[in-house]
Amino acid sequence: MQSWVFLAFFMIVVGLPVILGIGSCMFQRWLKHKERMAEALTAQTAEKAAQYAAHTERLEQRVRVLERIVTDKGIAISDEIDCLRELPAPFVRTN
């Protein structure tokens, strides 16, 4: 019985602190790894967001140019269409 008490005392006094110390060290390493992974993901997300913003800006510029072309030349094109409607149809021969 005395050896059982000594073994339980030894496990509580020596074993438990050793196990908790090793577990704490492993947990701290895991936390540092998770923090590095989060930082890398944040940097990657920020880079993609900047790329999407630049792409959106280019598309908006293209749409502005197209809108300008349509609105500026829209009146001239409609005038040309009206002029073509007023001209008599060309004579077409049928054989």
Side-chain angles (χ1 to χ4, degrees):
M1 185 75 168
Q2 201 174 22
S3 65
W4 176 260
V5 172
F6 178 72
L7 183 61
F9 179 76
F10 180 77
M11 287 300 290
I12 291 172
V13 172
V14 176
L16 194 59
V18 169
I19 292 171
L20 290 177
I22 292 172
S24 171
C25 182
M26 290 173 52
F27 183 70
Q28 286 176 355
R29 285 182 147 196
W30 181 76
L31 279 179
K32 285 182 184 178
H33 172 71
K34 283 296 196 181
E35 287 175 0
R36 284 191 219 126
M37 292 297 290
E39 289 171 2
L41 183 62
T42 302
Q44 187 179 23
T45 303
E47 182 179 339
K48 283 194 181 245
Q51 289 174 352
Y52 288 144
H55 183 68
T56 303
E57 180 62 31
R58 286 193 303 269
L59 289 176
E60 287 177 356
Q61 288 175 357
R62 291 179 70 183
V63 168
R64 280 190 215 112
V65 168
L66 290 173
E67 286 175 345
R68 203 170 345 117
I69 289 170
V70 168
T71 56
D72 290 349
K73 294 186 179 180
I75 296 172
I77 290 173
S78 89
D79 289 342
E80 288 179 23
I81 291 171
D82 289 338
C83 287
L84 290 174
R85 285 184 186 152
E86 295 171 2
L87 293 176
F91 179 72
V92 178
R93 286 188 185 180
T94 57
N95 289 336

